[in-house]
């Protein structure tokens, strides 16, 4: 057992991730509010949080039993790479990749190794960007790396970690004077603040206490309220790009990716091209011609998970409307969820939640609806109550001030699919239709262990049998849980599908999701797989196919 401050082992790294997630979740709205450059997307805090959650989910899935630093950091880097959201998420993923490369083969990490790792991570992030700028998360990261590297020559682990965080804090305060848009708004860089929270969480991990920081500048009296998405680049086109385009490229090489970077530089700004070290690249660009950015990628290799975000539309949708009630004219989405991980997922997507870890009653749901105080409330029941009880709740909740709509979501994976297309800028009825359609298009299933003898559509099950359910019907009975899961996936995917989302339950055995992911990769290579730790106790694993 390592003494606190002596070196970092696997257990300490897991605690760092937990503390980092907690810090980002607590201050997500604050980080979002700092965004003033170069586009009005105001989601840096959310993007960092979602990306780190993806990293943590991969850690739980593929390195659940690992104790060495190299394996754990490698899993974090993979998860962040494949789940990165926005440019701030891409940069966080590249930072973790740099740490993983520098710590390859390490069982534990001392101060000197940590200093070298931060330096390598900073250099790798810089190389991923076409035009890194001062006053951004990149300059904050470089300051942290310089502080850690200098202290690492002779300092202890705690000294190195503290030096990195203190240097980052000083650099963060300087960002206000380094970019005109930050100076005008009187704020520090949003991504830089997120990075500082992670560095302070690392200090807490190795020393037992979090640094006591002076208040961070979040506004200047009289300064105009501005929102945007700061991403570590110098804008060369006036920050007036219309779209954010992101995709993954496979089947390519370094030369073709360099050519792609050059083409994207000509099309727009905020260009980031990062690799996972295993033949896949993640690409990000802000531009006015989204089609041209995608076409450029097609010439570089095979594309998948292409996403295009319109900044102007998102800005319009945010005016006067939020995911949680702020007055009589607002619209809320309320989701019934079970498990800590699932609660975090729905909250990250902007939903208010009511927990159903224990059986939920009509009164619980009715009280949650009334607490929102919104004019329109869309409820994702996620199978927690039967239809007749939902009808009773709706009748009691509706009055001249409030309209309540229950969407046909019978599982949390359907609720997530529904929430993904939620658009508060649409008319309520149109939004409800689109969300209902997304839920209906998501085929879902679950894995459970039989606790009694019962007759099902596919035969009689005995206590201890592994059951695969498609919807509410048992379609698989096996003695082995992985075999049941593989059979269920094959049956659900027989009708097609592009994406499988797995929500891992609290009591799921270690490695279950990883083995099922390998099965999908082997038998259905065209299908993407996303794994999240839901923490629900009702199902060992819940899956959705879109």
């Amino acid at each position: 057992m390592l003494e606190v401050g002596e070196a970092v082992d696997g257990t300490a790294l897991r605690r760092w991730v937990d503390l980092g997630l907690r810090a980002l979740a607590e201050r997500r709205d604050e980080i979002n509010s700092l965004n003033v450059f170069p586009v009005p997307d105001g989601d840096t805090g959310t993007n960092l949080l979602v990306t780190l959650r993806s990293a943590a989910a991969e850690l739980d899935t593929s390195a659940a039993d690992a104790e060495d630093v190299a394996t754990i950091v490698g899993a974090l880097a993979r998860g962040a790479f494949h789940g990165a959201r926005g440019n701030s998420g891409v940069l966080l993923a590249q930072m973790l990749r740099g740490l993983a490369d520098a710590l390859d083969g390490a069982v534990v990490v001392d101060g000197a190794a940590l200093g070298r790792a931060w330096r390598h991570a900073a250099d790798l992030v810089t190389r991923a960007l076409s035009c890194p700028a001062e006053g951004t998360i990149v300059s904050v990261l470089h300051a942290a790396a310089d502080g850690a590297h200098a202290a690492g020559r002779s300092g202890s682990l705690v000294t190195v970690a503290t030096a990195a965080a203190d240097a980052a804090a000083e650099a963060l305060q300087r960002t206000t004077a380094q970019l005109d848009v930050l100076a005008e708004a009187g704020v520090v860089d949003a991504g830089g603040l997120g990075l500082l929270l992670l560095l302070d969480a690392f200090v807490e991990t190795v020393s037992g206490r979090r640094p006591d920081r002076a208040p961070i500048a979040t506004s200047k009296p009289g300064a105009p309220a501005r929102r945007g998405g700061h991403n570590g680049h110098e804008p060369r086109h006036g920050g007036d790009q219309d779209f954010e385009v992101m995709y993954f490229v496979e089947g390519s090489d370094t030369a073709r990716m360099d050519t792609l970077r050059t083409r994207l530089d000509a099309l727009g700004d905020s260009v980031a091209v990062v690799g996972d070290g295993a033949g896949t690249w993640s690409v990000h660009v802000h531009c006015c011609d989204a089609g041209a950015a995608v076409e450029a990628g097609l010439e570089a290799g095979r594309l998948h998970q292409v996403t295009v975000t319109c900044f102007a539309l998102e800005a319009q949708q945010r005016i006067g409307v939020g995911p949680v009630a702020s007055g009589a004219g607002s619209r809320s989405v309320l989701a019934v969820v079970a498990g800590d991980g699932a609660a975090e997922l729905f909250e990250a997507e902007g939903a208010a939640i009511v927990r159903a870890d224990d059986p939920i009653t009509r009164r619980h749901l009715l009280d949650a609806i009334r607490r929102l105080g919104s004019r329109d409330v869309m409820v994702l029941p996620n199978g927690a109550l039967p239809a007749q009880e939902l009808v009773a709740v709706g009748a009691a909740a509706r009055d001249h001030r409030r309209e309540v709509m229950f969407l046909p979501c019978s599982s949390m994976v359907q609720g997530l699919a529904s929430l993904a297309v939620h658009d508060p800028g649409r008319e309520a009825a149109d939004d409800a239709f689109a969300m209902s359609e997304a839920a209906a298009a998501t085929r879902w299933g679950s894995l459970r262990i039989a606790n009694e003898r019962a007759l099902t559509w596919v035969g009689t099950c005995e206590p201890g049998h592994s059951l695969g359910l498609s919807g509410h019907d048992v379609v698989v009975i096996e003695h082995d849980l992985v075999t049941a899961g593989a059979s269920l996936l094959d049956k659900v995917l027989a009708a097609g599908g592009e994406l499988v989302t797995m929500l891992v339950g609290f009591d799921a055995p270690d490695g279950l999701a990883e083995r099922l992911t390998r099965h999908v990769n082997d038998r259905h290579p065209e299908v993407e797989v996303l794994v999240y730790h839901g923490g629900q106790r009702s199902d060992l694993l819940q899956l959705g196919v879109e």
Side-chain angles (χ1 to χ4, degrees), residues 409-430:
C409 299
S410 299
S411 62
M412 288 192 291
V413 286
Q414 285 186 315
L416 287 171
S418 177
L419 191 57
V421 301
H422 169 51
D423 183 350
R426 281 192 292 240
E427 290 293 329
D430 295 337

Side-chain angles (χ1 to χ4, degrees), residues 59-140:
L59 179 59
D60 290 340
T61 301
S62 66
D65 298 324
E67 298 180 357
D68 62 294
V69 165
T71 300
I72 290 175
V73 180
L76 292 173
R78 285 194 306 275
F81 178 85
H82 290 287
R85 177 182 292 187
N87 203 40
S88 54
V90 170
L91 297 183
L92 174 58
Q94 189 71 344
M95 182 190 81
L96 290 172
R97 168 53 51 198
L99 293 176
D101 290 346
L103 299 174
D104 186 33
V107 177
V108 297
V109 177
D110 60 13
L114 179 64
R116 293 191 296 270
W118 279 119
R119 171 62 62 82
H120 181 73
D123 291 342
L124 197 64
V125 168
T126 301
R127 291 199 296 270
L129 303 175
S130 290
C131 297
E134 290 296 316
T136 70
I137 184 176
V138 180
S139 56
V140 175

